[in-house]
Amino acid sequence: MTDTTDDIAEEISFQSFEDDCKLLGSLFNDVLQREVGSSFMEKIERIRILAQSALNLRLAGIEDTANLLEKQLTCEISKMPLEEALTLARAFTHSLNLMGIADTHHRMHKLIDVTQLSRSCDDIFTQLLQSGISSEELYQTVCKQEVEIVLTAHPTQINRRTLQYKHVRIANLLEYNSRSDIGHEDRETLIEDLVREITSVWQTDELRRQKPTPVDEARAGLNIVEQSLWKAVPHYLRRVSNSLKKFTGKPLPLTCTPIKFGSWMGGDRDGNPNVTAKVTKEVSLLSRWMAIDLYIREVDSLRFELSTNRCSDRFSRLAEDILEKESSENDSDRGQSSFLNQQNSSLPTQLTDKAQHPSCIEDGDSQHPKFEINSTTDFVPPNLQKQNEEDSPKTDSKPNADDTHTAGLTSRGSFSSTSQLLFQRKLFAESKIGRVSFQKLLEPPPLERAGMAPYRIVLGDVKDKLVKTRKLLELLLEGLPCEYDPRVSYETSEQLLEPLLLCYESLQSSGAGVLADGRLADLIRRVSTFGMVLVKLDLRQESARHAEALDAITKYLDLGTYSEWDEEKKLDFLIKELKGKRPLVPPTIEVVPEVKEVLDTFRVAAEFGSESLGAYVISMASNASDVLAVELLQKDTRLAVTSEHGKPCPGGTLRVVPLFETVKDLRAAGYVIRKLLSIDWYREHIQKNHHGHQEVMVGYSDSGKDSGRFTAAWELYKAQEDVVAACNEFGIKITLFHGRGGSIGRGGGPTYLAIQSQPPGSVMGTLRSTEQGEMVQAKFGIPQTAVRQLEIYTTAVLLATLKPPQPPREKKWRNLMEEISTISSQNYKGTVYENPEFISYFHEATPQAELGYLNIGSRPARRKSSTGIGHLRAIPWVFAWTQTRFVLPAWLGVGAGLKGVSEKGYADDIQEMYKEWPFFQSTIDLIEMVLAKADITITKLYDEQLVSENRRGLGDMLRKELMTTEKYVLVITGREKLLESNKSLKKLIESRLPYLNAMNMLQVEVLKRLRRDEDNNKLRDALLITINGIAAGMRNTG
């Protein structure tokens, strides 16, 4: 939901966009006429016309008249009763959202109409081949590409999920409306459907009334996968494959996946006490359950499609084996049916008194025996005997009182006799003899000969195993014990791929390749991409929490206090323990809840392993010991779990990824990686367990809040160079993980531009990057846009690998960057951290304090309870300034830096840097985009109405800084006006301004009233709706 990160903003035809806006606007006005009446509709229209007229005059340079109209507009809004203000806010918010939907639809439509888009596979493959890259090198580089997009639950998605779905439905209806082949009657029905959807949107509460839980956030992320990425991935891979075949003569291998997906939703516990080990376990199991459920649906469709009986001999034998196995199972089931007949013969023909009572009531009056399966039942269905023997303890038929709490052990832990009883009842209910005949009505009759439909037989067996796998996961989600059996269920994607690939090979060899390359190929590609978990869950925790856990352990062992040791002593201790073979943490240790939570998280990591989980990310990493501490806790827990279960932990150890966030830590990143790789144990561990691959994460948000956007960008660039050099020195491959936010103030920007401006050698076919909050929906919420974004990721990484961007041409450029950065950082820090009035000004001039009412995320806005900027998270910091149209975090300090070097006579040099150095060009271009969204007049209104008179001078000073930044950005780019080279984006922004300006005026008025009456819930609702509306208009939150 943003312009600044939109890689396809230039792909716009404004005529069709404006037509859609008019259609939706007209239908919305009709809805409002019915909902609020014609009298209030006239007021809404008057406000809109005033705002539009003021904007037109300002764009024409007639400032005085524009100011008069804006004052009149402000005056009319200030006189509005609360109910009317609330309705106006809702109307303008929905108008801005509908414009956003029209924009989304237009992009979808454009992607279909254009034969060859810029930055598409065809476009970039052509460029690379023309530049001298051989077709074989191109093919191998694409096949080896490893990109992972990590979806996060950062609290920047302002819209409720309910409204997001409705918006997608409206976009789909617009897409249908753009077709030329629909008749008059169908078009009338379509308009009626649009009216229904818009009416439903208006009658839906825009506000979340309670904070989402981490599991809620994870479900929302998984829903994006189910509704969009699940459909998009096969189309994207087919597009890559077709382009490869066109330009190299070879398609993409069927199991090759240039892009995969990860997630932080349910795993990111940094500063969020709501994300616990239990939550992580539940989310991981839920993700696996959803993957299996989606595969079951696909296999069902595939069974219907593959009715052919032509197959290879090998495949025919496989189908015969399956039929044979099923036949032997049916024979064993006949023994079960005789047991049922015996039970049926003793059932009463007439119900007695109190028969309605539950069987657990022991009143002694019943004349008939109760049917029950207790923990010592003599009968267990034959197909479950093996599993029951493994899972259930051997007990006497008459347990004494001391035995009632005896626990039976399973692979997942222990359970009481009551749980065992429930478990056995559930197993019985799931067995064949416990099924009702309803399921048989849904299934076709079983095939008796493999030659009749061999693919249906094999896929039927696949489905059966998938269903059993799903049941197993449901038991685990319910907290019931169970044991994985590879003969009847799947645990790895390789197990699922095996029969699917056999189907594919059989179809190809028997002349049915056209069938093989359809739905079956899509399913194989989905399994290769999503695996058994849809998205692998990363775990993230702050380094200080690991130090606290080691403090508790070393104190318990009388070794002293770990956190008080110097770095060398820490490393000596950690390396010694890592080389040892005994567990460090005694099972009898008692720790405080915070430490227990850390240890429990490592237990989940050990139980699930790298098959389900991705990386373990250490936030605020600053030393080599931070990484080794996690390696030790991980190793120790795996030893304990292995000993407890009597078998190795599943999968391998998780990758441990240091996250360097602050400017200080970024500057030390190369040193830390060199120190780590110089340790023999660690280097051997990386080579043996992680294929010689070191992953390092760099954070954009906190570095920007720390020293300003320009300094952060330069320090990130240098840190990446240093980390790459460090890994090259030790012969270790590097994957850089970019923690980019959605907004430019937190490192956001067009994906293509960002990747193309990385340091040379930092993108060598591998990349990880976060997509946060509202960006997940904006980029991947609709299959058509998701396909385009995935393609852009692929082509940008490919180009950066084979044709890396140019480094600074000469050392002088680096020196100039250092000087700009130094001046910029000093200016930024002098304002934000050293001016004693700034914090008070920030709280008065922005709705920062009120953002907490939004309920848009599960985590607190601050890492620690403090009113300072230091502990405020980057998202509310950027969010608040975006609301007031100051967008200060993205540009503060930049103007001072550019002015400083220009006045020293280096203006020509920085113009050359802009033309020839991709990194510098992209940095300046992103700042230009932000400046185009800033509005000095609106920021002044906030100051005049909300800020104490003695602090308004600070606002005036900041506005002068804003104008200075704009002046020098235009000098460097050689343009006369902002966004002169991106007229599509400029026009998009201007089209929203009439509504957006009025929303800002309304927000100022509501804030003024709310601060005098803080407990007024209707005022609070009105404010939150204006926040939603401005976010929709700015196409940015935090």
Side-chain angles (χ1 to χ4, degrees):
M1 195 181 94
T2 180
D3 302 314
T4 57
T5 52
D6 190 352
D7 294 275
I8 49 178
E10 74 278 11
E11 295 162 10
I12 279 217
S13 163
F14 270 93
Q15 186 57 55
S16 61
F17 169 68
E18 288 171 354
D19 289 345
D20 286 337
C21 286
K22 286 176 184 175
L23 172 63
L24 292 177
S26 172
L27 297 177
F28 183 45
N29 285 341
D30 292 343
V31 170
L32 284 178
Q33 285 279 4
R34 291 196 306 273
E35 295 286 337
V36 302
S38 56
S39 176
F40 190 71
M41 270 301 297
E42 290 175 7
K43 287 187 179 182
I44 291 175
E45 188 61 14
R46 175 175 169 77
I47 296 288
R48 191 195 66 77
I49 291 171
L50 275 173
Q52 182 71 66
S53 301
L55 172 66
N56 292 341
L57 290 168
R58 194 168 292 285
L59 291 174
I62 309 171
E63 299 284 339
D64 292 342
T65 311
N67 288 336
L68 285 174
L69 283 180
E70 284 167 355
K71 283 182 181 178
Q72 183 182 348
L73 185 56
T74 304
C75 181
E76 292 199 13
I77 288 172
S78 67
K79 293 177 181 177
M80 272 191 169
L82 177 56
E83 289 292 341
E84 289 189 359
L86 188 63
T87 305
L88 176 66
R90 294 190 66 220
F92 277 19
T93 295
H94 287 305
S95 294
L96 287 164
N97 277 323
L98 289 171
M99 292 179 75
I101 294 167
D103 180 12
T104 299
H105 155 251
H106 167 77
R107 295 167 199 274
M108 289 162 50
H109 191 62
K110 193 74 174 177
L111 293 176
I112 296 168
D113 287 350
V114 177
T115 52
Q116 181 168 316
L117 294 163
S118 65
R119 304 163 186 169
S120 65
C121 288
D122 281 5
D123 178 31
I124 299 304
F125 290 1
T126 300
Q127 287 183 36
L128 287 169
L129 291 171
Q130 289 175 351
S131 70
I133 299 294
S134 70
S135 60
E136 182 60 25
E137 186 179 6
L138 171 63
Y139 179 79
Q140 291 298 331
T141 307
V142 173
C143 292
K144 292 176 183 176
Q145 189 175 106
E146 294 179 16
V147 174
E148 188 168 357
I149 299 167
V150 181
L151 312 178
T152 79
H154 285 64
T156 60
Q157 174 52 267
I158 201 85
N159 282 323
R160 290 180 60 200
R161 191 147 51 116
T162 299
L163 288 173
Q164 291 174 45
Y165 293 158
K166 294 179 187 300
H167 293 170
V168 169
R169 284 203 292 269
I170 292 172
N172 288 333
L173 287 169
L174 285 177
E175 175 64 25
Y176 187 57
N177 186 52
S178 63
R179 288 171 50 177
S180 58
D181 60 338
I182 61 172
H184 176 72
E185 186 177 345
D186 286 342
R187 200 172 296 278
E188 282 189 342
T189 302
L190 185 146
I191 296 298
E192 290 172 4
D193 288 341
L194 275 172
V195 170
R196 272 189 284 274
E197 290 293 346
I198 293 171
T199 303
S200 177
V201 164
W202 176 257
Q203 294 181 358
T204 299
D205 189 355
E206 300 93 333
L207 304 176
R208 292 184 179 94
R209 297 300 173 178
Q210 59 187 32
K211 288 179 79 69
T213 67
V215 176
D216 291 335
E217 292 171 333
R219 273 200 300 265
L222 291 173
N223 204 270
I224 294 283
V225 177
E226 179 186 10
Q227 298 298 321
S228 179
L229 288 173
W230 186 257
K231 301 169 187 173
V233 162
H235 289 285
Y236 148 73
L237 289 172
R238 197 178 292 279
R239 183 176 293 181
V240 175
S241 184
N242 290 341
S243 291
L244 272 180
K245 190 169 184 180
K246 176 179 175 182
F247 289 96
T248 71
K250 295 184 286 186
L252 188 73
L254 202 56
T255 56
C256 183
T257 52
I259 291 182
K260 291 191 176 183
F261 301 92
S263 173
W264 278 12
M265 302 178 190
D268 182 9
R269 60 239 314 123
D270 175 25
N272 189 350
N274 300 309
V275 180
T276 63
K278 181 175 181 288
V279 164
T280 298
K281 187 172 183 177
E282 287 176 351
V283 169
S284 186
L285 289 171
L286 182 64
S287 181
R288 289 181 76 91
W289 184 94
M290 185 174 283
I292 300 301
D293 190 62
L294 288 168
Y295 290 139
I296 289 170
R297 295 183 221 171
E298 291 300 322
V299 169
D300 258 341
S301 299
L302 200 54
R303 287 172 73 199
F304 180 80
E305 182 178 290
L306 297 182
S307 55
T308 179
N309 57 10
R310 292 161 60 183
C311 68
S312 65
D313 291 341
R314 181 186 178 192
F315 196 80
S316 179
R317 287 194 298 272
L318 174 63
E320 291 284 2
D321 290 344
I322 290 169
L323 283 180
E324 226 175 273
K325 184 186 75 171
E326 289 178 352
S327 176
S328 64
E329 286 178 356
N330 289 336
D331 290 342
S332 68
D333 288 344
R334 292 192 188 100
Q336 299 171 16
S337 63
S338 64
F339 167 78
L340 279 182
N341 291 334
Q342 293 170 18
Q343 293 295 324
N344 289 340
S345 64
S346 63
L347 292 177
T349 56
Q350 183 178 350
L351 292 177
T352 60
D353 292 340
K354 300 185 180 180
Q356 77 276 14
H357 289 181
S359 61
C360 58
I361 296 177
E362 300 288 350
D363 54 21
D365 292 335
S366 175
Q367 299 300 309
H368 302 281
K370 291 175 293 183
F371 177 73
E372 61 180 15
I373 305 174
N374 58 36
S375 59
T376 57
T377 184
D378 293 326
F379 174 77
V380 178
N383 60 320
L384 298 173
Q385 282 177 357
K386 182 181 183 301
Q387 184 171 356
N388 199 34
E389 286 166 7
E390 293 173 358
D391 290 341
S392 301
K394 301 283 191 297
T395 59
D396 295 328
S397 59
K398 294 182 180 179
N400 58 40
D402 294 334
D403 293 333
T404 55
H405 298 290
T406 301
L409 296 177
T410 73
S411 66
R412 300 289 176 180
S414 63
F415 58 98
S416 67
S417 57
T418 305
S419 296
Q420 181 183 339
L421 175 60
L422 291 171
F423 173 52
Q424 289 181 328
R425 284 179 174 169
K426 189 172 185 70
L427 286 178
F428 181 79
E430 300 298 345
S431 71
K432 289 183 178 178
I433 61 168
R435 286 181 187 166
V436 294
S437 58
F438 172 70
Q439 185 64 28
K440 294 178 181 177
L441 295 174
L442 301 178
E443 296 283 347
L447 297 166
E448 296 178 359
R449 288 187 298 105
M452 292 171 64
Y455 298 100
R456 288 182 171 178
I457 292 170
V458 173
L459 290 172
D461 185 59
V462 170
K463 181 189 174 182
D464 191 45
K465 287 184 178 180
L466 285 170
V467 168
K468 288 172 181 173
T469 305
R470 185 174 63 182
K471 292 295 182 186
L472 183 146
L473 290 166
E474 287 167 3
L475 289 172
L476 289 173
L477 280 164
E478 291 174 16
L480 294 168
C482 54
E483 185 72 53
Y484 162 73
D485 184 348
R487 293 171 301 177
V488 297
S489 58
Y490 294 120
E491 190 168 34
T492 67
S493 54
E494 288 76 15
Q495 293 167 347
L496 176 56
L497 276 173
E498 185 180 354
L500 298 179
L501 289 171
L502 285 173
C503 284
Y504 186 85
E505 291 164 7
S506 174
L507 286 167
Q508 290 284 3
S509 66
S510 55
V514 67
L515 290 176
D517 289 323
R519 189 184 291 273
L520 175 59
D522 287 349
L523 177 55
I524 291 169
R525 285 179 167 140
R526 284 185 174 115
V527 176
S528 300
T529 301
F530 296 110
M532 303 301 280
V533 293
L534 282 188
V535 288
K536 282 194 176 183
L537 190 62
D538 280 3
L539 307 181
R540 183 169 78 132
Q541 183 58 280
E542 192 178 355
S543 58
R545 295 292 300 276
H546 307 132
E548 289 170 9
L550 286 170
D551 277 350
I553 294 165
T554 55
K555 285 178 182 177
Y556 183 85
L557 298 173
D558 294 326
L559 297 175
T561 306
Y562 171 84
S563 59
E564 294 176 0
W565 300 345
D566 61 29
E567 179 67 5
E568 287 307 313
K569 185 175 180 180
K570 288 178 180 177
L571 289 175
D572 289 343
F573 167 75
L574 294 167
I575 293 166
K576 178 185 174 185
E577 292 299 329
L578 282 164
K579 289 179 177 177
K581 295 183 179 179
R582 60 168 177 77
L584 173 67
V585 183
T588 55
I589 191 171
E590 292 185 4
V591 293
V592 296
E594 291 79 9
V595 172
K596 185 178 185 302
E597 180 55 44
V598 172
L599 298 179
D600 286 348
T601 298
F602 279 102
R603 185 176 183 85
V604 170
E607 290 179 345
F608 283 79
S610 57
E611 288 292 335
S612 297
L613 304 176
Y616 193 111
V617 179
I618 310 165
S619 58
M620 295 297 172
S622 56
N623 293 295
S625 61
D626 293 332
V627 175
L628 293 187
V630 173
E631 293 284 11
L632 177 58
L633 291 169
Q634 185 174 203
K635 174 217 167 195
D636 198 77
T637 310
R638 287 177 70 86
L639 282 173
V641 171
T642 297
S643 174
E644 186 178 314
H645 290 170
K647 62 180 182 180
C649 294
T653 61
L654 306 190
R655 309 185 308 276
V656 179
V657 180
L659 165 53
F660 300 104
E661 300 178 80
T662 65
V663 168
K664 179 184 175 185
D665 291 339
L666 285 167
R667 288 172 177 167
Y671 169 80
V672 171
I673 298 303
R674 284 184 179 88
K675 184 70 176 176
L676 276 170
L677 295 176
S678 69
I679 298 167
D680 292 341
W681 179 91
Y682 184 78
R683 192 172 59 257
E684 290 166 7
H685 166 70
I686 288 292
Q687 289 167 339
K688 178 183 176 183
N689 297 310
H690 301 300
H691 311 292
H693 236 105
Q694 173 67 54
E695 188 173 322
V696 175
M697 185 171 184
V698 288
Y700 290 66
S701 298
D702 284 291
S703 56
K705 187 167 70 71
D706 188 22
S707 297
R709 184 73 259 138
F710 193 93
T711 298
W714 179 230
E715 293 299 337
L716 283 158
Y717 188 92
K718 292 189 297 179
Q720 291 177 70
E721 286 183 318
D722 204 12
V723 165
V724 169
C727 288
N728 288 339
E729 289 166 21
F730 289 90
I732 297 295
K733 299 171 187 174
I734 178 74
T735 295
L736 285 163
F737 184 4
H738 299 265
R740 301 170 67 234
S743 62
I744 289 172
R746 295 196 307 111
T751 302
Y752 193 89
L753 187 64
I755 295 173
Q756 285 301 297
S757 60
Q758 298 305 310
S762 64
V763 182
M764 296 305 291
T766 65
L767 179 84
R768 287 188 98 211
S769 182
T770 57
E771 291 290 358
Q772 303 181 4
E774 86 269 27
M775 296 313 307
V776 176
Q777 176 68 32
K779 288 186 175 183
F780 306 113
I782 296 175
Q784 293 94 322
T785 54
V787 170
R788 178 66 170 139
Q789 291 296 336
L790 295 175
E791 185 179 27
I792 285 171
Y793 261 105
T794 297
T795 56
V797 170
L798 179 66
L799 202 56
T801 302
L802 293 176
K803 291 290 181 181
Q806 291 299 310
R809 193 183 67 192
E810 51 188 281
K811 189 175 181 182
K812 182 180 181 182
W813 287 8
R814 298 185 75 94
N815 294 337
L816 282 173
M817 279 299 294
E818 287 291 346
E819 191 165 352
I820 297 170
S821 175
T822 300
I823 297 170
S824 175
S825 179
Q826 287 172 350
N827 179 277
Y828 178 91
K829 288 182 175 178
T831 301
V832 174
Y833 293 104
E834 295 167 15
N835 189 324
E837 294 294 322
F838 182 81
I839 292 177
S840 299
Y841 173 79
F842 172 54
H843 288 305
E844 288 181 353
T846 73
Q848 185 272 324
E850 292 82 5
L851 290 176
Y853 300 138
L854 276 172
N855 293 324
I856 60 174
S858 67
R859 75 181 189 182
R862 294 180 178 273
R863 283 193 167 95
K864 297 178 182 177
S865 55
S866 162
T867 56
I869 301 296
H871 291 137
L872 179 69
R873 286 193 178 273
I875 288 173
W877 165 246
V878 174
F879 200 156
W881 289 113
T882 304
Q883 285 285 303
T884 66
R885 312 271 289 282
F886 231 142
V887 236
L888 179 141
W891 58 261
L892 183 59
V894 177
L898 297 176
K899 179 183 178 184
V901 295
S902 295
E903 288 180 346
K904 290 182 180 180
Y906 297 114
D908 291 343
D909 292 288
I910 55 178
Q911 285 175 340
E912 283 295 310
M913 288 163 63
Y914 177 78
K915 290 175 185 175
E916 297 184 27
W917 187 11
F919 164 73
F920 187 71
Q921 185 183 81
S922 70
T923 303
I924 297 300
D925 284 348
L926 290 174
I927 292 166
E928 181 187 13
M929 285 186 198
V930 171
L931 294 173
K933 287 189 172 185
D935 191 300
I936 286 177
T937 305
I938 294 295
T939 65
K940 197 172 181 180
L941 177 66
Y942 278 81
D943 282 10
E944 290 170 349
Q945 298 292 322
L946 301 172
V947 176
S948 304
E949 193 169 347
N950 62 320
R951 295 193 186 98
R952 290 178 192 168
L954 179 54
D956 292 335
M957 184 269 287
L958 290 171
R959 278 182 282 279
K960 286 179 184 175
E961 285 283 342
L962 177 59
M963 289 188 283
T964 299
T965 306
E966 181 177 333
K967 174 185 173 181
Y968 282 94
V969 163
L970 291 174
V971 167
I972 290 169
T973 60
R975 294 190 272 271
E976 293 183 5
K977 292 183 179 180
L978 296 173
L979 293 184
E980 198 173 64
S981 64
N982 194 344
K983 293 181 180 178
S984 294
L985 180 56
K986 184 178 181 182
K987 196 166 182 181
L988 271 175
I989 293 171
E990 289 175 357
S991 69
R992 299 192 290 261
L993 287 179
Y995 298 100
L996 186 55
N997 290 345
M999 288 294 286
N1000 278 113
M1001 294 172 187
L1002 184 56
Q1003 185 178 86
V1004 169
E1005 177 60 30
V1006 173
L1007 268 173
K1008 190 165 63 173
R1009 295 187 197 182
L1010 183 60
R1011 289 175 181 177
R1012 293 195 299 258
D1013 186 8
E1014 293 182 358
D1015 296 325
N1016 190 320
N1017 288 330
K1018 281 199 172 181
L1019 273 173
R1020 187 179 294 180
D1021 282 359
L1023 175 66
L1024 297 182
I1025 290 168
T1026 66
I1027 291 173
N1028 283 9
I1030 293 167
M1034 291 291 281
R1035 308 282 277 173
N1036 272 121
T1037 53

